[in-house]
């Protein structure tokens, strides 16, 4: 996390539906994906929850804002190119635009005060101050992590989120309460949301004794999908020790790695080189993510190209929360090298900031705002990052309305996709695995 993450100041696949032909040029760029393949047959939590043997006909919808409405047939939670089976349930889309649901590639639901009483924040001048306030806030909350996280994650679903990578603090001050609380919320939401959990050492891996043992325990027990890290030099002041420990746990237990890297300049680049070297040495290609990566936007084009080539070769993915024009990742340039880049919310109404809403359409809007985009293609690309970019980071299939793609989509009133990114209309209907999971901003249990 970082204190400025909330403030705007601070489909490679053809379109299946003829009704979307008018947007063919736009959607082609929107869906251009890195070389890494993402199989539509990959299992999701929605399938595990029992979204099988279900046929639904969504009538009168406009995929990607196509001029002519069409019907979507869903069978067993996936888009079908055949006719609707006899007895299929029918849902009327009322001519609304159908868009791929969104993916929050970086969020901290364990810290949130969402739907709770107001919290007055105090001044803070660095990660250590924020960490101290995190502990105070955790101890003052009457509602357990599981309840607070569930409320925020269910809210995210109502805003069109299909999946999220949730970072949960692991430290002696909490034990594994954050991880366990988010895991409970994930179980309650398994019919509506696909969730990966990161055991995140916000207090440092080395500087806070006892944290390493907790990370090992979380991975050994199978509670988490990834092990995190944080600024190995700037905060933990133990580059090799932290990275060796984090990568060692991941290698031993077969989980991924997702490291927060706020350090800029040579500190950040030295950490990046350490991450690249260990990914290569341990054959962890495709299992490592670096979040924020504030050191990359500072690089010259030549320097960036050199790093991006390594990231693409090792399939190391990146995430950004678009905190400002100077800190947002150069997404288009990175994708030229096959680097997967996702967009996330970061913290939501926690001790770090009163801002945040877990609304990834709003985050796509903010991405456009901080990068000062104007053109339809640019606005469409912002949505692409929020929908398909995060899916690539989480190794999920694109929800792109292709035959066999997951039936995860949102219906909104609007004229076209770029206008939706700007106006952020109400999510009238949210569909996950072919089932309607939210209507008019209300989550359906």
């Amino acid at each position: 996390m970082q204190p400025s993450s909330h403030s705007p100041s601070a489909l490679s696949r053809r379109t299946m539906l003829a009704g979307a032909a008018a947007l063919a040029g736009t959607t082609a760029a929107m869906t251009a994906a890195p070389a890494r393949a993402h199989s539509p047959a990959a299992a999701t939590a929605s399938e595990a929850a029992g979204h099988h043997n279900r046929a639904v006909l969504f009538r009168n919808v406009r995929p990607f804002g196509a001029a002519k409405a069409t019907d979507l047939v869903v069978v067993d939670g996936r888009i079908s190119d055949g006719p609707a089976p006899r007895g299929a349930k029918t849902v009327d889309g009322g001519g609304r635009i159908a868009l791929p649901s969104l993916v929050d590639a970086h969020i901290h639901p364990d810290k949130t005060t969402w739907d709770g009483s107001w919290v007055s924040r105090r001044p803070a001048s660095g990660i250590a101050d924020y960490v101290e306030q995190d502990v105070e806030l955790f101890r003052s909350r009457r509602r357990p992590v599981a309840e607070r996280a569930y409320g925020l994650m269910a809210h995210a679903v109502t805003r069109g989120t299909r999946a999220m990578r949730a970072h949960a603090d692991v430290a002696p001050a909490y034990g594994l309460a954050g991880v366990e609380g988010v895991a409970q919320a994930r179980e309650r939401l398994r019919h509506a949301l696909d969730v990966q959990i990161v055991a995140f050492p916000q207090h440092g891996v080395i500087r806070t004794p006892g944290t390493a043992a907790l990370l090992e325990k979380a991975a050994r027990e199978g509670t988490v999908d990834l092990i995190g890290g944080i600024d190995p030099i700037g905060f933990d002041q133990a580059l090799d020790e932290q990275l060796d420990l984090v990568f060692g746990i991941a290698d031993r237990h077969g989980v991924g790695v997702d490291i927060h890297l706020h350090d800029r300049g040579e500190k950040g680049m030295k950490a990046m080189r350490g991450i690249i070297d260990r990914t290569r040495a341990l054959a962890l290609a495709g299992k490592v993510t670096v979040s924020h990566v504030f050191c990359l936007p500072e690089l010259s084009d030549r320097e960036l190209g050199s790093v991006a080539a390594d990231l693409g070769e090792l399939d190391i993915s990146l995430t950004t929360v678009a905190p400002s024009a100077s800190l947002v990742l150069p997404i288009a340039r990175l994708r030229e090298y096959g680097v997967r880049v996702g967009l996330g919310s970061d913290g939501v109404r926690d001790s770090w900031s009163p801002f945040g809403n877990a609304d990834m359409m709003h985050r796509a809007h903010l991405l456009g705002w901080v990068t000062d985009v104007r053109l339809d293609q640019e606005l469409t690309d912002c949505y692409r990052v929020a929908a398909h970019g995060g899916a690539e980071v989480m190794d999920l299939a694109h929800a792109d309305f292709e035959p066999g793609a997951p039936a995860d989509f949102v219906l909104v009133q609007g004229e076209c996709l770029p206008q939706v990114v700007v106006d952020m209309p109400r999510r009238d209907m949210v569909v996950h695995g072919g089932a309607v999971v939210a209507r008019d901003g209300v989550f359906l249990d």
Side-chain angles (χ1 to χ4, degrees), residues 1-2 91 329 332 352 365 370:
M1 296 182 70
Q2 77 288 340
V91 178
L329 291 174
W352 294 59
H365 175 101
V370 302

Side-chain angles (χ1 to χ4, degrees), residues 13 20 34 51 55 85 170 174 189 313 321 367 381 439:
R13 299 157 41 154
H51 285 289
V170 170
Y174 318 116
L189 290 162
E313 174 199 349
V321 299
L367 175 60
D381 288 344
R439 285 183 183 269

Side-chain angles (χ1 to χ4, degrees), residues 161-214:
T161 294
R162 65 181 278 224
M164 63 172 55
R165 179 171 287 181
H167 296 255
D169 281 12
V170 170
Y174 318 116
L176 295 181
V179 163
E180 292 166 351
V182 174
Q184 290 175 44
R186 172 172 64 179
E187 179 62 24
R188 290 180 64 185
L189 290 162
R190 65 199 304 259
H191 67 292
L193 186 68
D194 298 306
V195 181
Q196 294 176 351
I197 301 177
V198 184
F200 174 51
Q202 177 76 81
H203 299 192
V205 179
I206 307 304
R207 68 181 285 159
T208 305
T211 300
L214 288 169

Side-chain angles (χ1 to χ4, degrees), residues 31-325:
T31 58
R36 179 181 176 87
H38 298 274
S39 170
T44 65
S46 60
E47 292 171 325
H51 285 289
H52 292 291
N53 304 318
R54 175 179 295 168
V56 186
L57 174 62
F58 290 89
R59 303 191 65 91
N60 194 22
V61 298
R62 297 187 293 125
F64 305 113
K68 183 179 180 181
T70 188
D71 298 336
L72 290 175
V73 177
V74 176
V75 178
D76 294 343
R78 296 190 172 274
I79 301 295
S80 172
D81 57 355
R86 183 184 299 274
K89 178 181 177 180
T90 299
V91 178
D92 185 14
R96 291 173 176 80
I97 296 177
L99 295 173
S101 293
L102 299 145
V103 176
D104 194 327
H106 187 104
I107 186 171
H108 294 260
D110 65 312
K111 296 176 183 284
T112 191
T113 64
W114 185 265
D115 204 27
S117 59
W118 178 254
V119 172
S120 296
R121 281 88 185 165
R122 302 195 314 274
S125 59
I127 292 178
D129 286 350
Y130 287 105
V131 164
E132 182 180 341
Q133 293 182 28
D134 278 342
V135 176
E136 293 175 6
L137 186 62
F138 173 81
R139 291 173 176 169
S140 70
R141 296 298 90 187
R142 294 183 178 181
R143 296 185 300 152
V145 172
E147 182 180 335
R148 290 186 282 112
Y150 172 81
L152 180 64
M153 293 159 71
H155 168 77
V157 172
T158 71
R159 297 306 183 261
T161 294
R162 65 181 278 224
M164 63 172 55
R165 179 171 287 181
H167 296 255
D169 281 12
V170 170
Y174 318 116
L176 295 181
V179 163
E180 292 166 351
V182 174
Q184 290 175 44
R186 172 172 64 179
E187 179 62 24
R188 290 180 64 185
L189 290 162
R190 65 199 304 259
H191 67 292
L193 186 68
D194 298 306
V195 181
Q196 294 176 351
I197 301 177
V198 184
F200 174 51
Q202 177 76 81
H203 299 192
V205 179
I206 307 304
R207 68 181 285 159
T208 305
T211 300
L214 288 169
L215 293 175
E216 186 88 43
K217 182 179 180 182
R220 183 175 61 247
E221 293 179 350
T223 312
V224 301
D225 304 281
L226 305 100
I227 296 295
I230 180 169
D231 295 322
I233 301 177
F235 186 62
D236 231 4
Q237 300 179 4
L239 172 65
D240 292 331
E241 193 174 355
Q242 183 194 125
L243 292 184
D244 286 347
L245 195 150
V246 168
F247 275 82
I249 293 174
D251 187 43
R252 285 193 296 277
H253 298 286
V255 297
V257 172
D258 192 325
I259 296 180
H260 284 55
L261 186 57
H262 310 101
D263 282 347
R264 308 185 198 184
E266 183 53 30
K267 285 183 181 179
M269 289 311 304
K270 189 173 182 179
M272 276 297 300
R273 287 191 287 268
I275 291 168
I276 289 169
D277 290 346
R278 285 163 177 81
T279 302
R280 180 178 285 115
L282 294 174
L284 288 176
K287 299 188 70 173
V288 175
T289 301
V290 190
S291 296
H292 303 308
V293 213
F294 292 160
C295 56
L296 288 189
E298 302 173 334
L299 300 179
S300 68
D301 188 67
R302 180 177 179 179
E303 292 170 326
L304 177 62
S306 177
V307 177
D310 286 336
L311 297 175
E313 174 199 349
L314 294 169
D315 197 14
I316 296 174
S317 62
L318 308 178
T319 64
T320 183
V321 299
S324 68

